[in-house]
Amino acid sequence: MNRFRNIAVLLCLNFVFGQIVCAQLKFEKPVLITKDNGLPINDIRSFKKGDDGFIWLATPRGLCRFDGSQIKIFGDGADLRHSLYDPLVESVQPKGNFIWAGTHQGISVLNTNNNTFRHYQLENNGKSDSL
């Protein structure tokens, strides 16, 4: 009988004190990311935290990197090696040193080591051989 009572007491203590230990962390300084502090447009389609610690944002006007205080925008341009193929980014997926950006025209992959892009245009039957 004492054994069951001891188990019941331990379970009750675990329930009471276990809830205190698993409390949620306090988020003291939230940051609202808007056009006012550097976002190209107040429309975020997707966001993910990368292995590098940056927050990567997909917007209709480019791929954005947020470091906690500043936003760097990767947009379209004439030089496809250093710009997106299509600025309308719908989704973003960081993986190691590469940031995969899904657009309506295909996929642009940013190499974060040297800030250069590779592009893959998609067709109905798969990847196109060239842009």
Side-chain angles (χ1 to χ4, degrees):
M1 188 70 155
N2 277 341
R3 181 177 175 179
F4 290 117
R5 192 177 82 201
N6 290 342
I7 291 173
V9 168
L10 285 175
L11 286 174
C12 288
L13 288 173
N14 186 33
F15 178 74
V16 170
F17 291 110
Q19 298 302 320
I20 294 170
V21 172
C22 296
Q24 193 173 18
L25 293 174
K26 192 173 184 181
F27 195 71
E28 295 187 20
K29 291 186 178 182
V31 177
L32 182 62
I33 304 170
T34 65
K35 192 174 178 179
D36 294 335
N37 58 359
L39 204 59
I41 188 171
N42 286 334
D43 185 359
I44 298 173
R45 303 290 172 97
S46 172
F47 64 94
K48 297 274 173 122
K49 182 178 179 186
D51 296 338
D52 52 10
F54 294 119
I55 302 295
W56 293 92
L57 308 150
T59 74
R61 294 205 183 140
L63 175 67
C64 302
R65 183 188 74 194
F66 182 62
D67 65 4
S69 61
Q70 295 181 342
I71 294 174
K72 178 177 172 115
I73 302 168
F74 297 90
D76 61 340
D79 180 10
L80 288 180
R81 185 162 161 78
H82 294 97
S83 61
L84 289 166
Y85 185 62
D86 180 11
L88 201 159
V89 182
E90 291 287 348
S91 62
V92 63
Q93 180 62 52
K95 185 68 177 164
N97 294 328
F98 299 98
I99 309 301
W100 294 72
T103 72
H104 286 242
Q105 298 295 320
I107 299 171
S108 293
V109 182
L110 172 66
N111 181 339
T112 58
N113 290 331
N114 56 13
N115 287 338
T116 59
F117 284 91
R118 285 188 326 238
H119 306 282
Y120 301 97
Q121 190 172 22
L122 305 177
E123 296 178 349
N124 290 337
N125 60 349
K127 183 176 81 79
S128 174
D129 291 333
S130 66
L131 290 176

